[in-house]
Amino acid sequence: MAVQGEEAQRYITVEELRKHNAASDLWISIQGKVYDVTSWVEDHPGGDLPLLSLAGQDATDAFVAYHPAYAWAHLGRFFVGHLADYRVSAASRDYRRLVAEFSKSGLFDQKGLVAPLTICSMLALLVAAGSGVLLSECALVHALCGGMMGFLWIQSGWIGHDSGHYRIVGHPRLNRLAQIVAGNCLTGISIAWWKRNHNAHHIACNSLDFDPDLQHMPFFAVSSKLFASMKSYFYERKMSFDAVARFLVSYQHWTFYPVMCFARINLFAQSILLLLSAKKVPNRWQEILGVAVFWIWYPLLVSCLPNWGERVVFVVASFAVTGIQHVQFCLNHFSSSVYVGPPQGNDWFEKQTMGTLDISCSPWMDWFHGGLQFQVAHHLFPRLPRCHLRKVSPFVRELCKKHKLPYNIASFWEANAMTIRTLRAAALRARDFANPVPKNLVWEAVNTHG
């Protein structure tokens, strides 16, 4: 829509822009132009949370990262004026140039063979696990089939992750089908919940009160700042650091891996809570039907095992193996820099690099990490198919070096150690905060030496 007259010449200061930071009055700035997107909040394909998190400020870098070129054509109808004192940092300018170069070279459109190969491996794992349960009478085989089910869920997670960021297949309806089958039907996790959660995480990377991936009270706290019982703007509730949370956090470096073995239960619960809530959920009934399919076939398969002992082993093996993926999610962020408050559009690039950790690995291990090993590049270019992340990673490293920004990278084992150290440091602070009285020598030894 063409903009003419006084509105086209209107200049808006940063101070005035900041005033429009509510859902009922929401303005953002993109490339020096100001847009009133209040009417778009409910219909935004990425959900309302990214807009609410960046309300009243410049959102150019986030917009560039998440939107293809054709999205710019939709901005005209929201235009209200120009930003009077628009400035671009050197880092953001180079970042936007890099996005443009990748787009021009066609990297965002070249999907590679990762998706079809992953889908084939998922099918093979599903057939193998099902056949083992139905055709074998060996308890060991049944346990191994439970482990294969866990690996199936891991690969389904990578496909769900990829299809939520970009089209893994050409047609949008086929991409939607891939999302529902890989996420809802095969794993019992709502893709709508995942997209809502994951978009909030990407926009507010490592914000203690805005990033849901750091909000695991009462089980985990990556920073003593969480002891202030701050509000979660994602869950819209207070993250209380009460006596129970204090106790659990005090031993979180011991409980981390056991909890990760059963972390999928939380994802099941969060999916169901969202689908039954009053929040707007696109294609709600598709989501519910997909989740219902999972809760039909998986319990039915488990029931085919000959006794309750083998059923429990099968389920525990499924959950424990897929717990590897939950650990991987944590490694990329738990030990990285954190902050309090909403994301700031004018340092979005800097926050993405400071809040992420890459995992060094050989190319033949890329299947295991699902693209998370190039977390910095993924956060900066979320629409980029993971087959290109290894290729663009050196460009990201050079950009960080040029602007004296951290580029954090560690081996898988080093990242685990860093995560445990972070959890242990917060755990010891929790104990100091509580000032507990030792009950016996064993208790005192554990608290002294961790």
Side-chain angles (χ1 to χ4, degrees):
M1 180 183 296
V3 181
Q4 300 177 352
E6 294 183 5
E7 191 177 44
Q9 300 302 318
R10 180 183 179 186
Y11 285 90
I12 298 163
T13 64
V14 171
E15 290 72 22
E16 182 181 355
L17 176 63
R18 285 177 185 152
K19 296 176 182 177
H20 303 273
N21 62 355
S24 57
D25 181 22
L26 202 161
W27 291 11
I28 57 173
S29 168
I30 299 175
Q31 205 90 330
K33 294 182 179 181
V34 178
Y35 302 94
D36 180 356
V37 293
T38 308
S39 61
W40 184 239
V41 173
E42 289 296 319
D43 298 315
H44 182 230
D48 58 341
L49 293 175
L51 290 175
L52 292 171
S53 296
L54 294 170
Q57 55 180 309
D58 180 72
T60 306
D61 286 345
F63 185 87
V64 165
Y66 275 93
H67 298 82
Y70 63 78
W72 290 86
H74 298 284
L75 291 175
R77 56 186 166 135
F78 305 114
F79 180 79
V80 292
H82 298 274
L83 193 63
D85 38 8
Y86 177 61
R87 298 287 187 274
V88 183
S89 70
S92 288
R93 186 179 297 108
D94 284 347
Y95 165 65
R96 296 172 196 177
R97 185 180 299 117
L98 202 56
V99 174
E101 289 176 3
F102 291 166
S103 180
K104 186 177 180 180
S105 64
L107 289 183
F108 292 107
D109 300 316
Q110 299 168 10
K111 307 299 191 299
L113 297 175
V114 171
L117 290 176
T118 303
I119 291 172
C120 288
S121 71
M122 289 164 51
L123 181 61
L125 287 167
L126 181 61
V127 171
S131 299
V133 169
L134 298 175
L135 302 179
S136 175
E137 297 180 358
C138 177
L140 179 58
V141 170
H142 294 162
L144 291 174
C145 288
M148 284 191 286
M149 188 61 63
F151 279 114
L152 166 65
W153 289 347
I154 289 175
Q155 295 306 315
S156 296
W158 300 143
I159 283 293
H161 177 264
D162 291 349
S163 64
H165 277 297
Y166 56 89
R167 292 179 186 172
I168 60 174
V169 290
H171 198 281
R173 289 186 178 179
L174 289 178
N175 195 71
R176 175 63 180 168
L177 180 63
Q179 291 177 339
I180 292 293
V181 172
N184 301 49
C185 297
L186 288 180
T187 69
I189 298 171
S190 165
I191 193 68
W193 169 81
W194 177 85
K195 289 176 71 174
R196 177 179 173 82
N197 181 286
H198 202 61
N199 286 342
H201 158 66
H202 266 266
I203 292 295
C205 179
N206 274 33
S207 166
L208 292 176
D209 47 345
F210 280 81
D211 183 355
D213 282 10
L214 295 186
Q215 298 172 358
H216 302 296
M217 298 283 276
F219 292 100
F220 303 118
V222 297
S223 169
S224 59
K225 294 176 182 178
L226 288 165
F227 300 167
S229 296
M230 62 179 61
K231 176 184 177 181
S232 164
Y233 287 90
F234 179 82
Y235 293 108
E236 299 176 338
R237 60 173 171 79
K238 183 179 180 181
M239 296 182 287
S240 298
F241 187 67
D242 53 20
V244 173
R246 187 178 300 152
F247 175 78
L248 293 174
V249 168
S250 293
Y251 298 96
Q252 62 182 359
H253 53 307
W254 293 101
T255 61
F256 175 66
Y257 292 112
V259 170
M260 288 298 105
C261 286
F262 299 96
R264 184 137 301 225
I265 295 173
N266 178 54
L267 273 58
F268 291 153
Q270 294 297 331
S271 294
I272 293 171
L273 287 173
L274 176 64
L275 295 181
L276 297 181
S277 72
K279 296 183 183 297
K280 183 175 181 179
V281 179
N283 304 303
R284 185 188 299 267
W285 286 108
Q286 288 182 13
E287 298 281 339
I288 292 175
L289 180 61
V291 170
V293 167
F294 170 81
W295 287 110
I296 292 172
W297 77 261
Y298 183 68
L300 187 61
L301 181 65
V302 173
S303 71
C304 293
L305 293 165
N307 57 65
W308 278 104
E310 291 193 25
R311 291 167 190 162
V312 170
V313 169
F314 181 90
V315 171
V316 170
S318 299
F319 279 53
V321 169
T322 198
I324 296 171
Q325 188 175 64
H326 294 284
V327 170
Q328 290 173 301
F329 291 148
C330 298
L331 299 184
N332 293 127
H333 298 286
F334 270 28
S335 64
S336 298
S337 174
V338 299
Y339 65 100
V340 176
Q344 300 297 316
N346 58 1
D347 67 352
W348 187 84
F349 174 85
E350 291 86 341
K351 283 290 195 302
Q352 298 295 323
T353 58
M354 290 188 294
T356 51
L357 172 70
D358 274 9
I359 306 297
S360 60
C361 72
S362 300
W364 70 271
M365 282 295 291
D366 285 352
W367 67 271
F368 175 75
H369 295 283
L372 298 189
Q373 72 274 37
F374 301 110
Q375 189 71 186
V376 181
H378 171 62
H379 266 257
L380 292 174
F381 312 102
R383 293 186 296 110
L384 191 68
R386 62 172 144 136
C387 61
H388 300 306
L389 291 175
R390 183 174 289 276
K391 182 188 304 183
V392 306
S393 187
F395 295 97
V396 175
R397 192 189 295 249
E398 284 300 314
L399 195 60
C400 290
K401 181 180 179 181
K402 176 181 178 180
H403 296 285
K404 296 180 173 59
L405 294 171
Y407 184 91
N408 303 310
I409 186 169
S411 72
F412 180 74
W413 306 113
E414 290 170 339
N416 273 271
M418 292 165 64
T419 297
I420 295 300
R421 283 198 297 268
T422 299
L423 293 174
R424 184 177 184 276
L428 297 181
R429 291 290 299 274
R431 296 173 189 178
D432 291 341
F433 189 86
N435 193 24
V437 179
K439 300 297 181 183
N440 53 54
L441 292 177
V442 175
W443 193 97
E444 185 175 4
V446 171
N447 276 269
T448 301
H449 301 291

